[in-house]
Amino acid sequence: MQQFCTALLKTDHHRQPARFIQVLAIFGVTLLAVLLGGLTRTFDGFSILWPANALLLGLFVRVPKYNTLAAWGAAALAYVCAEMLLGRMPAVALWLAVANLSGVAAGYFMLHRSRARLSELSEPAVMLHLFAVCLGAAAVSALAGCGLLAVTLEYNLANAWGLWFSGELLNYVMFLPLLLSIPYAAAAQQPGGQRQEDAFWTRWHHRQTYPLLALVASIVLAWWIGGPGAIAYPVLALLWCALEYRLFQTAAVTAVTCAILLLFMSASLASLLFVDEYVHAMMSLRMGVLLIALAPLTVSCVNAARDRLLKSLDHAVSYDALTDALSRRVFMERSVAALERLKRRGLQASVLMLDIDHFKRINDTYGHATGDKVLAQLAATVQQMLRDPDLFGRLGGEEFAVFLPETGRQDALAVAERLRSAIKRIEVESDAGDAVVFTASIGVVHWHAAHHTDMSTLLSRADQALYLAKRGGRDRVELAV
């Protein structure tokens, strides 16, 4: 113990308090998890639920700064202390700590060496790889710990290994996807300038309550009717949850459901008199619950992959591939719908038409690759300066349009002037290394709900104002009269 503390304190003085807190957190979390698992131990001293190993592996993977030699030492100390608090002899507690940590180390090694990105956990292939990691971690841990069961409980090695392996595998599958799928609180920026809140914070719709109620009802029905078939009662409700919820939410309800099934069904096995009969029944129960856990997780992953594919296809159709601006069709559809909403509310709006000056000369002089860079940089600059409700679309070639809802004439002119000035400061490097600068002309038209003007007419008038800006010398803003 003294050597462990001495090694822990041999760190950089500036980082020492933070590292000490991290190590203390690992110790405390592991200690509580082991004690919690110890509360579910059966007459043979084997825990029904054991979240400690999956929790430790999940922490080391999700928060790499916790993965230090001192943290592993703190976890080992927590295992030993918790087991001794639960009444184990020191030698047995040490053996259990080594067995549990060997599985965690094997799981971390396999995840670290793999090319799977856990940020894409909802991909079916990544989830399949995670299941393989759970298999490996459970096998290593069972290999290290089965001898203890054989010595203390007089099980044969095959039964001891199978009992340990089935329990470890089930607990990893129950808790590890849950821990690894916990989303970050920050909102993620999505393609097309749209922001999508993180899965954990998405708004709860009333229809999402129905699968949860069905799940609760199925669990109550399983408890009331009982029997060996009761374990399968919640399957349909879990699959419904997987279709309605995100992966984290699905993993959460799956873990809770499997924990209830295990605790409920394991109690009925205590009456079995023969060791082999009990071991085989317990392994069968665990493997059955394991398959129940895998079903909703798999469906959730497939459903998430399908949703991403549909969003990707929708984005490909709705947005210009080069500039990420709205396509002409989608820009017209959304601006027409916005115009109708503003008309009902008696509000105003403005439309801008942008065109790059002498764009053909840029293509002829520097090549079309440089011209594409100019278009992409202009679009990125414009989108950064617009508000969330504003619409920005590419109408064709070097021509763009901006729809500004609830924007008056003077404000629209100010926005157009800021855009013109920002575009003038853009500098693009050509393939030959030359610095390419360019300007844009902008036409502005103002609209009010009292006006009986459709979107096509507004664009036509904005285009006329753009033509006047071109005739007036370019790099100008003109207001349609």
Side-chain angles (χ1 to χ4, degrees), residues 86-117:
L86 292 170
R88 302 283 194 184
M89 297 295 292
V92 174
L94 183 60
W95 192 339
L96 288 171
V98 171
N100 285 306
L101 282 175
S102 64
V104 176
Y108 184 83
F109 176 78
M110 287 184 285
L111 284 173
H112 182 69
R113 291 293 301 271
S114 72
R115 296 181 181 273
R117 297 175 56 186

Side-chain angles (χ1 to χ4, degrees), residues 322-477:
L322 176 63
T323 63
D324 210 30
L326 292 171
S327 66
R328 181 186 184 94
R329 178 185 62 82
V330 175
F331 175 81
M332 291 297 295
E333 290 175 354
R334 295 187 182 181
S335 57
V336 167
L339 208 62
E340 288 298 322
R341 290 193 297 269
L342 295 171
K343 183 182 294 186
R344 289 193 297 268
R345 297 168 59 190
L347 300 175
Q348 58 187 341
S350 295
V351 176
L352 278 56
M353 186 81 80
L354 293 81
D355 188 274
I356 300 175
D357 298 326
H358 301 298
F359 183 69
K360 184 177 184 300
R361 184 185 303 172
I362 295 175
N363 278 333
D364 293 342
T365 304
Y366 301 103
H368 289 278
T370 301
D372 289 347
K373 291 181 182 179
V374 167
L375 292 171
Q377 189 59 51
L378 177 141
T381 300
V382 171
Q383 291 189 77
Q384 289 175 1
M385 301 180 67
L386 297 179
R387 305 166 301 176
D388 287 340
D390 300 336
L391 299 175
F392 176 63
R394 184 183 182 187
L395 302 186
E398 70 275 20
E399 198 171 60
F400 298 86
V402 179
F403 181 83
L404 303 173
E406 301 182 38
T407 305
R409 181 182 289 105
Q410 295 303 317
D411 289 337
L413 287 172
V415 170
E417 188 60 38
R418 287 198 298 270
L419 292 177
R420 184 200 64 79
S421 179
I423 293 170
K424 192 174 184 178
R425 295 193 298 269
I426 297 175
E427 185 175 300
V428 174
E429 184 179 352
S430 70
D431 292 342
D434 299 323
V436 180
V437 294
F438 56 94
T439 61
S441 300
I442 304 176
V444 181
V445 61
H446 175 250
W447 173 90
H448 194 274
H451 302 159
H452 298 286
T453 308
D454 59 17
M455 190 62 198
S456 296
T457 304
L458 289 176
L459 285 175
S460 178
R461 292 179 59 195
D463 190 50
Q464 293 172 7
L466 174 62
Y467 175 73
L468 293 176
K470 295 280 188 180
R471 281 185 54 184
R474 295 182 171 81
D475 191 24
R476 294 168 54 85
V477 175

Side-chain angles (χ1 to χ4, degrees), residues 45-68:
F46 204 88
S47 296
I48 300 173
L49 297 178
W50 190 258
N53 298 349
L55 178 59
L56 192 60
L57 178 56
L59 278 174
F60 286 156
V61 172
R62 288 298 300 266
V63 192
K65 65 180 180 181
Y66 284 2
N67 182 29
T68 63

